[in-house]
């Protein structure tokens, strides 16, 4: 092992689509960067690239370029802010890596390894559902952030996702983030339902990362193609995101010892 690893990697996932993964991962990346933590955000929603649209940018290179062209990992990073906030976009409309196989997984891990050591946080915006690609990315990261909303279907789909990742992939480090809530109480209730189901049926404890309230600042920021954390730093959503970023910072400090001897991204269990 060349380095002692200090990069905490997180997959941002959800059972049901449209619950806010892309918005929350983007704004979390900005919040982490603001607290002086180098952060790399990777758009892993292959085929449905979103982050570049949310930012109104058209990067020349994307994740696909380190897979089939011989681009260097540094070359595919689009700098969002100097000195420490980077984005690796996904290739939209490209279907050949829609279904990430084991060789491609290995290629991503090996080719990105040296680049990743300079970041404190690596956030993967993974697509919704339980496809092979979703499972492969979750297998690669240290922790999984599961986004749910208080809607019953989002809760059941979130639980179903955790169940598959836990039983088939042996993944057990999940942290729940409840989005689009009207109150902290509503978020706590949503978390409690999924926590209780995981404890009862999977004998698995899941963590609570907090909530992000329903806030018109989010839609406004999507329309203006600027992260709400930058556009409306005093909005409710931005304050909530800052709290989540603080919890992630704590999680990283607590995990320092356990991640020191494992690389930022790893193969993990075979994805079946
Ligand atoms: N806290 C919030 N308050 C208000 N609107 C929100 C909030 N979070 C997300 N939204 C809205 O929900 C919609 C879906 O968000 P987003 O695209 O981030 O979800 P997603 O989980 O990435 O979707 P997909 O599964 O398609 O990738 C967007 O229109 C966004 O503006
Ligand atoms: Mg998305």
């Amino acid at each position: 092992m060349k380095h002692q690893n200090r990069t905490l990697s997180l997959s941002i996932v959800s059972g049901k689509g449209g619950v806010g993964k892309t918005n929350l991962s983007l704004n979390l990346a900005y919040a982490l960067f603001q607290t002086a933590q180098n952060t790399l955000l990777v758009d892993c929603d292959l085929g449905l690239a979103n982050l570049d649209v949310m930012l109104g940018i058209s990067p020349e290179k994307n994740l696909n370029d380190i897979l089939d062209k011989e681009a260097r990992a540094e070359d595919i990073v689009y700098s969002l802010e100097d000195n420490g906030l980077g984005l690796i976009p996904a290739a939209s409309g490209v279907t050949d890596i829609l279904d990430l196989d084991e060789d491609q997984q290995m290629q991503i891990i090996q080719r990105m390894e040296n680049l990743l050591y300079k970041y404190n946080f690596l956030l993967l915006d993974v697509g919704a559902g339980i496809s092979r690609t979703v499972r492969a990315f979750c297998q690669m990261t240290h922790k999984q952030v599961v986004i749910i909303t208080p809607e019953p279907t989002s809760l059941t789909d979130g639980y179903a996702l955790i169940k598959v990742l836990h039983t088939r992939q042996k993944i057990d480090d999940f942290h729940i983030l409840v989005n689009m809530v009207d109150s902290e109480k509503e978020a706590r209730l949503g978390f409690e339902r999924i926590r209780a189901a995981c404890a009862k049926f999977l004998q698995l404890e899941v963590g609570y990362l907090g909530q992000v309230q329903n806030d018109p600042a989010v839609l406004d920021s999507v329309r203006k193609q600027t992260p709400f954390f930058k556009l409306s730093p005093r909005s409710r959503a931005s304050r909530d995101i800052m709290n989540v970023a603080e919890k992630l910072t704590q999680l990283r400090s607590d995990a320092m010892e356990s991640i020191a001897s494992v690389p930022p991204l790893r193969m993990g269990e075979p994805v079946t």
Side-chain angles (χ1 to χ4, degrees):
M1 187 96 194
K2 279 174 291 183
H3 307 257
Q4 234 199 11
N5 177 43
R6 299 171 57 80
T7 310
L8 179 70
S9 57
L10 301 145
S11 290
I12 320 284
V13 290
S14 70
K16 186 177 178 320
V19 298
K21 290 179 298 297
T22 301
N23 276 279
L24 300 195
S25 35
L26 175 63
N27 286 279
L28 267 175
Y30 273 87
L32 289 167
F33 174 70
Q34 189 180 288
T35 55
Q37 311 199 72
N38 292 351
T39 301
L40 180 66
L41 177 61
V42 187
D43 194 336
C44 297
D45 198 347
L46 307 179
L48 274 176
N50 259 315
L51 277 162
D52 48 348
V53 181
M54 286 232 186
L55 288 157
I57 56 174
S58 319
E60 274 172 31
K61 293 196 163 63
N62 58 59
L63 193 59
N64 209 35
D65 291 300
I66 56 163
L67 286 175
D68 59 23
K69 297 174 201 143
E70 296 283 295
R72 294 181 315 153
E74 300 77 54
D75 297 337
I76 64 167
V77 179
Y78 183 96
S79 175
L80 292 175
E81 301 283 335
D82 285 343
N83 302 318
L85 182 59
L87 166 73
I88 295 185
S92 50
V94 178
T95 52
D96 45 334
I97 54 165
L98 263 182
D99 211 12
L100 199 71
D101 64 29
E102 219 164 276
D103 288 346
Q104 290 169 323
Q105 242 179 295
M106 185 67 91
Q107 227 174 321
I108 290 178
I109 292 170
Q110 287 174 345
R111 303 193 63 175
M112 288 189 25
E113 179 161 346
N114 284 331
L115 168 79
L116 297 181
Y117 284 113
K118 72 174 202 197
Y119 294 98
N120 294 357
F121 282 96
L122 174 63
L123 303 183
L124 307 189
D125 175 13
V126 180
I130 49 172
S131 66
R132 191 190 185 285
T133 303
V134 168
R135 285 180 285 126
F137 281 120
C138 289
Q139 198 66 79
M140 288 156 70
T141 56
H142 303 129
K143 294 178 188 290
Q144 333 300 323
V145 174
V146 180
I147 306 207
I148 60 170
T149 71
E151 270 183 60
T153 48
S154 160
L155 285 164
T156 51
D157 292 358
Y159 169 74
L161 171 72
I162 293 174
K163 183 179 170 186
V164 167
L165 291 175
H166 181 62
T167 54
R168 280 175 65 173
Q169 308 299 147
K170 317 239 184 336
I171 293 171
D172 59 9
D173 203 348
F174 297 95
H175 300 268
I176 311 293
L177 176 48
V178 194
N179 190 22
M180 303 192 211
V181 298
D182 293 324
S183 66
E184 190 179 342
K185 191 174 165 214
E186 190 182 26
R188 287 265 171 200
L189 280 172
F191 168 68
E192 182 48 34
R193 290 178 63 186
I194 203 161
R195 188 207 61 77
C198 291
K200 182 170 178 196
F201 301 115
L202 307 174
Q203 288 75 50
L204 178 71
E205 287 305 320
V206 297
Y208 184 49
L209 263 190
Q211 86 264 344
V212 178
Q213 296 170 76
N214 251 317
D215 188 338
V218 179
L219 191 54
D220 188 41
S221 83
V222 175
R223 291 211 180 100
K224 296 189 172 125
Q225 293 182 303
T226 308
F228 59 79
F229 194 79
K230 263 180 108 171
L231 191 66
S232 328
R234 279 187 289 277
S235 63
R236 278 176 298 174
S238 294
R239 286 202 305 263
D240 288 343
I241 282 288
M242 199 62 216
N243 287 334
V244 178
E246 280 163 12
K247 286 199 180 136
L248 288 180
T249 304
Q250 186 61 48
L251 274 184
R252 177 172 173 269
S253 310
D254 295 345
M256 250 347 164
E257 223 171 288
S258 61
I259 63 173
S261 55
V262 284
L265 292 176
R266 56 193 169 171
M267 278 306 274
E269 294 282 317
V271 181
T272 47

